[in-house]
Amino acid sequence: MNNKILLSAILSGFLAAGFALTFDAPVADAGGPKNLKVYPKNTNKKALKKDMKAISKALGVQCDFCHDMSAMDKDTDMKKKARDMMRMLNTANASLKKSGFKKSATCKTCHQGAKEPKE
């Protein structure tokens, strides 16, 4: 029941709020990540790598599932889809927080270690 409420809140937050984005990341050092479209441009490499590892684990995939390993900053279809999912998650979590929820959703909430989200 709680999963249905959480999923409902996530989806309604996504639909109601659109693609809002509020990642808080540490300031980047020289030579930081390139082609950031969801994370702030000043996100440092260490923070980004930590998040990417968590996403990889939540989906049960390796880096090459989304990235072109010969050109990490190159856009791929899966990278674009991942960005959309990150935006959705940020919007949902903003809505959950506004509604008084103490916990927030993560990639693992729906994916549970699988490439495709579970119900």
Side-chain angles (χ1 to χ4, degrees):
M1 182 68 175
N2 286 338
N3 285 343
K4 287 184 180 183
I5 293 171
L6 180 60
L7 184 57
S8 176
I10 289 170
L11 292 176
S12 64
F14 173 64
L15 294 173
F19 287 103
L21 176 64
T22 57
F23 268 110
D24 292 325
V27 176
D29 50 8
K34 295 173 179 56
N35 195 24
L36 296 178
K37 296 186 179 171
V38 174
Y39 284 87
K41 300 293 183 202
N42 65 343
T43 302
N44 73 34
K45 194 173 190 175
K46 185 177 180 180
L48 185 62
K49 194 167 192 171
K50 180 181 175 188
D51 282 358
M52 292 295 113
K53 283 184 178 186
I55 292 167
S56 177
K57 184 176 180 181
L59 275 67
V61 299
Q62 298 298 314
C63 302
D64 63 354
F65 184 70
C66 294
H67 293 275
D68 177 339
M69 299 307 289
S70 63
M72 292 294 281
D73 59 343
K74 180 181 176 186
D75 284 336
T76 64
D77 289 341
M78 287 309 295
K79 192 188 261 191
K80 291 173 186 175
K81 187 172 188 175
R83 286 177 179 138
D84 287 343
M85 296 296 284
M86 288 179 192
R87 289 179 184 111
M88 178 189 70
L89 192 57
N90 286 330
T91 300
N93 282 330
S95 180
L96 288 170
K97 185 176 181 179
K98 188 175 181 180
S99 298
F101 281 84
K102 301 288 185 220
K103 294 184 179 182
S104 59
T106 66
C107 301
K108 187 177 178 180
T109 303
C110 296
H111 281 271
Q112 302 171 28
K115 291 178 186 176
E116 296 294 323
K118 297 183 178 188
E119 289 186 23

